[in-house]
Amino acid sequence: MIFIIYSYLYITSKNYYDRKVNEYHEKQKQSNDRYSSLFSQILNGLQEIKTFHMLPKLHKRLNKIQKEYSKHYMNKRKYYVKKENDVRFITHTFSILLYIILVLLMIKNEIGIEVLVLVIGYFESMIGYLDNIINCSSTIREVNVSVKRVNEILHYHSKQIPFGNNTSEINKGVLEFDHVCFSHNSHKIVDDMNFQIKTNQITALVGQSGTGKTSIFNLILRLYQIDSGKIQIDGVNIYDYDPSHFVSKISVVNQKPFVFNMSIRKNLDFVDKDINHQIEACKWVGIHDFISSLPDGYHTILREDGTNISGGQKQLISLARTLLTNSKILLFDEVTSSLDPESAKQIMSILKKLKKDRSIIMITHKPSLMKIADSIIVIDHGKIVGTGKHKVLLEKNKYYQQLQK
């Protein structure tokens, strides 16, 4: 009975205090996030802040957040100290009670010294086991705070978009915008847009900065919901596709691709863990020989943002990662803008080969890339102001002519 009552009180009290400690730990992290966010904004807008004499008010705001942080920290420490003291008190109380009962039983000759030693040994072992269980539980709760915060970021949506459960195959990869309109903060970004992207072709979206090209990519990727019209792939509305199925059929390669601070192979593992598929993709884009020449090959650790390789090499690794998805539609956003001429030429050659059995859509300001496109869509202020091939547009379209300067 002593063992049972002790175990119940020990686990209940320690769990209660652990929950309270983690509750304030989470609040402490939230205050820290708010402080970091505000401080970052102050650094970015320091000139305007000084101009409009905002610093006194911002100091008050920072001090308020700092006080909240301190309050949560002190509450966390309070419950942590209570946990240590109360648990120690419970353990000592029941230890003394057990010793008294065992001594009384020995005085009455109901047990011998060997039983006393055995029971005390069991009791101390049980304390050790309970400690391990509770400590593991406490660690899980603490880590769960961080995991929860990461999940909130990864699954954040400013506006919930309803998706369907259609899992039909995207065989052709024909993409169509049908009278699509999209606004953000009451500002029309895409205005009654109609076009079709065909497979086996490279289609270039061109126009001055801020004309809506990147927004078109974001709409294709379903990051936002359109106001009206339809976006279809192979005749199916993109919002009807099941999310997990959809993301495996469309991939994007950005101007500055992101690579993790881990090995080349682990970066590729996120898409396909088969090393043979990885080598095949790297050979296809022409980066395999370079990787093989490295001392650790595919196990070479990439530094944060791939600073130990060139921009062109990082772009090719990103492209190999994209190919592992077997996507039917590939989006390229200014992929050659920061590359040297030789790397840019290599990417252009890969794009020409990639269009076989795929739909390629690229945003570019480079005339050299516009020339290799099978179709060009010229955009100005969210509207299509021209379509066709490079030579035709160069002769007849004033918007396109301005882009060549």
Side-chain angles (χ1 to χ4, degrees), residues 245-258:
H245 179 73
F246 183 81
V247 296
S248 66
K249 303 302 178 184
I250 295 184
S251 294
V252 61
V253 181
N254 292 306
Q255 175 183 350
K256 293 182 179 179
F258 180 78

Side-chain angles (χ1 to χ4, degrees), residues 276-287 320-321 323-324:
N276 294 320
H277 292 168
Q278 294 177 7
I279 291 172
E280 185 180 345
C282 290
K283 283 181 177 178
W284 208 95
V285 301
I287 194 65
R321 185 171 58 189
L323 290 183
L324 288 170

Side-chain angles (χ1 to χ4, degrees), residues 223-241:
L223 299 181
Y224 302 103
Q225 190 168 26
I226 59 176
D227 300 330
S228 61
K230 287 190 295 184
I231 305 175
Q232 299 182 110
I233 297 177
D234 288 352
V236 178
N237 192 308
I238 63 168
Y239 298 105
D240 291 340
Y241 282 107

Side-chain angles (χ1 to χ4, degrees), residues 129-335:
Y129 292 137
L130 287 176
D131 263 334
N132 288 334
I133 292 170
I134 297 300
N135 287 338
C136 287
S137 175
S138 178
T139 302
I140 290 170
R141 283 197 182 99
E142 189 172 335
V143 171
N144 190 53
V145 172
S146 299
V147 172
K148 183 181 176 183
R149 294 170 71 222
V150 172
N151 277 329
E152 286 174 354
I153 295 170
L154 292 176
H155 296 98
Y156 172 77
H157 292 288
S158 57
K159 182 180 179 182
Q160 196 66 33
I161 301 173
F163 298 129
N165 54 11
N166 192 315
T167 56
S168 59
E169 284 300 316
I170 299 176
N171 296 314
K172 296 180 180 179
V174 176
L175 175 72
E176 186 175 2
F177 270 50
D178 183 10
H179 296 285
V180 173
C181 293
F182 170 67
S183 301
H184 183 66
N185 292 334
S186 302
H187 174 64
K188 184 154 282 189
I189 298 173
V190 175
D191 188 4
D192 195 31
M193 194 166 282
N194 294 278
F195 64 81
Q196 188 181 74
I197 306 293
K198 296 179 180 179
T199 191
N200 304 112
Q201 287 190 0
I202 298 174
T203 301
L205 301 180
V206 302
Q208 301 290 347
S209 297
T211 56
K213 302 184 298 297
T214 301
S215 294
I216 291 172
F217 268 24
N218 290 336
L219 292 176
I220 295 171
L221 293 168
R222 306 196 308 183
L223 299 181
Y224 302 103
Q225 190 168 26
I226 59 176
D227 300 330
S228 61
K230 287 190 295 184
I231 305 175
Q232 299 182 110
I233 297 177
D234 288 352
V236 178
N237 192 308
I238 63 168
Y239 298 105
D240 291 340
Y241 282 107
D242 175 78
S244 58
H245 179 73
F246 183 81
V247 296
S248 66
K249 303 302 178 184
I250 295 184
S251 294
V252 61
V253 181
N254 292 306
Q255 175 183 350
K256 293 182 179 179
F258 180 78
V259 292
F260 290 93
N261 179 207
M262 53 183 66
S263 71
I264 294 171
R265 180 169 183 187
K266 285 188 179 296
N267 269 277
L268 299 175
D269 278 349
F270 284 109
V271 181
D272 188 338
K273 293 187 176 181
D274 191 315
I275 185 61
N276 294 320
H277 292 168
Q278 294 177 7
I279 291 172
E280 185 180 345
C282 290
K283 283 181 177 178
W284 208 95
V285 301
I287 194 65
H288 173 71
D289 290 341
F290 166 73
I291 296 173
S292 299
S293 70
L294 298 170
D296 295 323
Y298 281 81
H299 296 287
T300 299
I301 302 296
L302 298 176
R303 292 181 196 152
E304 189 172 346
D305 200 28
T307 53
N308 54 333
I309 57 176
S310 71
Q313 290 158 352
K314 185 169 68 171
Q315 192 68 270
L316 291 175
I317 290 173
S318 173
L319 188 51
R321 185 171 58 189
T322 300
L323 290 183
L324 288 170
T325 64
N326 293 318
S327 300
K328 295 298 294 183
I329 298 175
L330 300 180
L331 311 178
F332 292 86
D333 188 358
E334 296 285 5
V335 288

Side-chain angles (χ1 to χ4, degrees), residues 55-84:
L55 278 175
K57 290 183 179 179
L58 288 169
H59 273 306
K60 287 182 180 179
R61 178 61 182 161
L62 286 172
N63 288 333
K64 182 180 178 183
I65 297 173
Q66 194 173 22
K67 286 177 181 178
E68 286 179 3
Y69 179 91
S70 299
K71 179 183 175 182
H72 297 320
Y73 175 77
M74 292 307 297
N75 279 326
K76 183 178 80 170
R77 289 295 306 169
K78 179 182 73 174
Y79 282 104
Y80 180 80
V81 171
K82 279 187 174 182
K83 177 182 74 171
E84 295 300 312

